[in-house]
Amino acid sequence: DVKSMLSDLQNRDERLFVVTIVMMNFARTNQKLENTIAQISSISNRHNCQVKRLSHQQEQGLVSVLPLGVNQVEIKRFLTSSSTAVFMPFTTEELFIDSANSLYYGLNALSQNLIMADRKKLKNPNGLILGTPGSGKSFSAKREMANAILVTDDDVIICDPEGEYSNLVKQFNGEVIKVSAKSKDYLNPLDINMNYGDGDAPLKDKANFIMSMLELVVGGSGLTAAEKSVIDRCLPKIYQKYFEDPKPENMPILGDLYDMLLSQEEGVGRKLATEMEIYVKGSLNVFNNRSNVDLNRQLLCFDIKELGTQLKKIGMLVIQDQVWNKVSLNRGSKSTRYYIDEFHLLLKDPQTASYSVEIWKRFRKWGGIPTGITQNVKDLLTSQEIENIFDNTDFVLMLNQASGDRDILAKKLKISPYQLNYITNSNAGEGLLFFGNTIVPFIDKFPKDTMLYKLMTTKPEEAK
Ligand SMILES: Nc1ncnc2c1ncn2[C@@H]1O[C@H](COP(=O)(O)OP(=O)(O)OP(=O)(O)O)[C@@H](O)[C@H]1O
Ligand SMILES: [Mg+2]
């Protein structure tokens, strides 16, 4: 025994500890006390250990058990590191990042310690929030964004298909932009800033966007080479005035592009102009105005609840473009958080799906932190782009899951059966948090008598 202990110490990096183990038992009556002690003795005997009563040493035992840092019990044993570690079965994985920008994500369900994390510390800050309806997805997103606004100076943008974020946004002095054919809030799709795009040619990237938009307008097989050339020729002309004198009144609008296309010699110019007429002079002309909303606020919410089917694709494209605008403006100076609720809707349609994947791939380098929120894991997982999205996501907040989804996710994210308990029939605001390689079960019981709760709840009777 001594030889093997010596070899442990010399070769296996073990240390020697002097250990005293004292347990304290409480009970209401003497009888109950005797019962539990008998129980404990029989369990430990079964495992070849002996439990001794501290007869005539009860006081010293009590003093040693209290967290005072004194040991008055003389019984000591020498144990190696690994043998000592056996007596601490309560170790849990913690997530606590001590940084000025850390945000609160609830309590660790095992240890009850605070979970504080900073997504910017991740290799890839992109995030997903998954859970069944009513499991607290939007609530978690709101809690994170409220925290981010109070703690950091990051900008926050929300894409809100249910029109449920406006109370919170207004309270934090943010701007709610209703995007719909009837709305009087205008967004100009031709808005450009000098930082737009990847390099030093903002117009090149803007031209890409305008082409994708016109592709949606003409539909079918998209733009022909001749049409693309004509558009490419027109764009520098309509931006010329703004580039010479960049004041808001000089920003071109769709009508300018329409007129310019009409005045081209080729027939394709007139054809394109006719095709976009409904968006300039017709009933869908909501995007033919200069922006009249304050896009410089720290908190922006695009409410697309009333965006009809006719405008859905173009509307989403215009919003994504405004998000890029903001991210490029903030690049290098601050982060931009972008929340997309009902994310699976965007992934259904190839055009918006490819735009979303673009965000997932490139946002990080620009200081962007996107978060997709969805109840529909199956839709999400069947989308063609899902591999690109999962591979680039290091933050997953997983709330209660439907049984089918749970199995798929368990395989995909390697969740152990024990961990699955935390996302099976769990209450609102409880689940698993994946943060890089760390997985912690969390509980967040948000106090209901607070102003924030009233602004964040979606239960109809409470929201009223
Ligand atoms: N952390 C929490 N603490 C206390 N209550 C919560 C918490 N999270 C959610 N809830 C309660 O659950 C309700 C539903 O939450 P939430 O609106 O986030 O659901 P959801 O998952 O977004 O559902 P849907 O998929 O239908 O949009 C909230 O209105 C709130 O009352
Ligand atoms: Mg929701």
Side-chain angles (χ1 to χ4, degrees):
D1 277 358
V2 171
K3 267 189 181 165
S4 86
M5 186 182 237
L6 190 65
S7 124
D8 275 353
L9 293 177
Q10 286 174 332
N11 306 326
R12 294 183 49 220
D13 203 20
E14 299 260 8
R15 304 285 170 87
L16 207 55
F17 288 84
V18 185
V19 180
T20 307
I21 309 273
V22 188
M23 286 187 272
M24 181 156 67
N25 250 307
F26 299 89
R28 290 264 179 225
T29 64
N30 249 336
Q31 186 56 45
K32 280 192 184 146
L33 197 59
E34 291 300 328
N35 290 350
T36 40
I37 288 172
Q39 243 177 342
I40 291 170
S41 295
S42 86
I43 293 173
S44 61
N45 280 342
R46 224 185 302 144
H47 294 92
N48 276 333
C49 296
Q50 267 187 15
V51 177
K52 277 200 170 150
R53 261 186 224 226
L54 284 177
S55 303
H56 308 293
Q57 278 191 293
Q58 304 281 358
E59 189 179 335
Q60 286 88 333
L62 176 67
V63 168
S64 309
V65 119
L66 292 175
L68 300 173
V70 289
N71 183 6
Q72 298 189 348
V73 180
E74 294 283 300
I75 310 164
K76 290 177 182 154
R77 293 284 180 274
F78 284 100
L79 295 181
T80 55
S81 310
S82 49
S83 310
T84 312
V86 169
F87 290 100
M88 282 171 231
F90 314 111
T91 49
T92 51
E93 193 168 20
E94 299 288 350
L95 178 56
F96 189 94
I97 298 179
D98 193 7
S99 126
N101 283 326
S102 280
L103 306 180
Y104 167 78
Y105 289 95
L107 297 180
N108 188 319
L110 288 167
S111 64
Q112 307 293 314
N113 285 325
L114 278 180
I115 302 176
M116 300 288 289
D118 180 1
R119 284 171 66 180
K120 288 175 214 165
K121 293 261 188 326
L122 284 171
K123 212 162 60 217
N124 211 321
N126 300 352
L128 288 171
I129 303 182
L130 310 172
T132 49
S135 57
K137 297 179 300 297
S138 308
F139 200 93
S140 317
K142 288 171 198 164
R143 194 202 51 217
E144 191 190 42
M145 61 184 75
N147 258 304
I149 290 195
L150 294 169
V151 173
T152 69
D153 55 5
D154 302 350
D155 279 350
V156 175
I157 309 177
I158 307 160
C159 176
D160 177 12
E162 300 282 347
E164 59 169 282
Y165 288 81
S166 53
N167 285 343
L168 185 71
V169 171
K170 282 179 195 146
Q171 190 66 37
F172 279 104
N173 196 24
E175 181 92 334
V176 179
I177 300 148
K178 285 203 158 106
V179 188
S180 83
K182 291 172 291 190
S183 172
K184 290 279 170 271
D185 294 343
Y186 297 132
L187 279 175
N188 181 3
L190 299 192
D191 272 350
I192 198 169
N193 71 61
M194 293 311 176
N195 297 324
Y196 190 93
D198 242 337
D200 41 16
L203 191 53
K204 244 188 209 154
D205 285 284
K206 194 74 204 184
N208 264 338
F209 161 73
I210 294 174
M211 302 259 187
S212 336
M213 192 172 68
L214 289 179
E215 240 155 52
L216 282 183
V217 169
V218 300
S221 52
L223 298 169
T224 63
E227 287 168 335
K228 282 185 188 164
S229 303
V230 173
I231 297 169
D232 199 54
R233 185 198 311 144
C234 292
L235 289 180
K237 293 187 187 154
I238 61 169
Y239 278 103
Q240 193 183 8
K241 211 162 122 201
Y242 180 75
F243 285 155
E244 277 165 10
D245 183 9
K247 52 184 182 189
E249 307 89 271
N250 284 344
M251 188 69 83
I253 56 173
L254 277 185
D256 298 321
L257 181 60
Y258 172 85
D259 292 337
M260 191 59 77
L261 285 170
L262 265 188
S263 69
Q264 300 305 302
E265 284 168 17
E266 294 88 344
V268 285
R270 269 190 303 284
K271 171 181 165 283
L272 276 172
T274 318
E275 278 163 337
M276 65 186 280
E277 194 171 290
I278 183 168
Y279 296 95
V280 177
K281 301 185 162 167
S283 56
L284 302 180
N285 65 352
V286 55
F287 290 122
N288 185 32
N289 293 285
R290 290 211 172 78
S291 301
N292 67 348
V293 285
D294 184 0
L295 295 163
N296 295 319
R297 301 270 181 98
Q298 190 189 5
L299 179 57
L300 289 181
C301 173
F302 295 102
D303 178 344
I304 54 167
K305 192 175 179 191
E306 271 149 29
L307 192 64
T309 39
Q310 273 188 308
L311 271 179
K312 190 133 231 159
K313 287 181 187 173
I314 289 207
M316 288 311 302
L317 205 62
V318 172
I319 290 172
Q320 306 261 36
D321 179 63
Q322 290 290 351
V323 173
W324 272 114
N325 244 336
K326 187 90 167 175
V327 177
S328 21
L329 264 176
N330 289 347
R331 185 181 198 177
S333 59
K334 57 178 161 179
S335 304
T336 313
R337 293 171 188 264
Y338 181 35
Y339 293 88
I340 314 161
D341 212 336
E342 313 290 345
F343 188 45
H344 56 280
L345 295 180
L346 282 187
L347 294 178
K348 260 189 194 156
D349 175 77
Q351 195 97 26
T352 48
S354 69
Y355 228 85
S356 307
V357 170
E358 186 87 356
I359 285 183
W360 242 254
K361 281 187 182 160
R362 289 175 55 213
F363 238 45
R364 179 182 60 84
K365 294 185 208 126
W366 295 61
I369 308 179
T371 307
I373 305 168
T374 179
Q375 49 173 260
N376 208 324
V377 173
K378 281 201 198 75
D379 267 12
L380 184 76
L381 290 172
T382 50
S383 116
Q384 289 178 346
E385 316 280 6
I386 187 59
E387 292 302 329
N388 276 326
I389 290 191
F390 255 106
D391 291 349
N392 292 310
T393 301
D394 280 347
F395 176 91
V396 182
L397 208 121
M398 198 177 289
L399 297 145
N400 184 44
Q401 298 294 325
S403 59
D405 297 348
R406 201 157 50 225
D407 298 341
I408 307 175
L409 285 169
K411 247 189 231 143
K412 189 118 200 147
L413 295 169
K414 304 196 176 58
I415 311 174
S416 74
Y418 174 71
Q419 287 167 327
L420 281 180
N421 288 334
Y422 291 99
I423 48 171
T424 309
N425 298 325
S426 45
N427 297 322
E430 296 181 12
L432 288 174
L433 178 63
F434 296 70
F435 190 89
N437 292 325
T438 311
I439 307 179
V440 285
F442 71 92
I443 296 183
D444 176 42
K445 287 208 171 68
F446 204 92
K448 298 201 171 181
D449 55 352
T450 52
M451 187 166 173
L452 261 182
Y453 182 87
K454 288 179 188 105
L455 293 168
M456 302 199 301
T457 181
T458 51
K459 287 188 180 153
E461 70 277 9
E462 290 173 349
K464 204 164 58 186

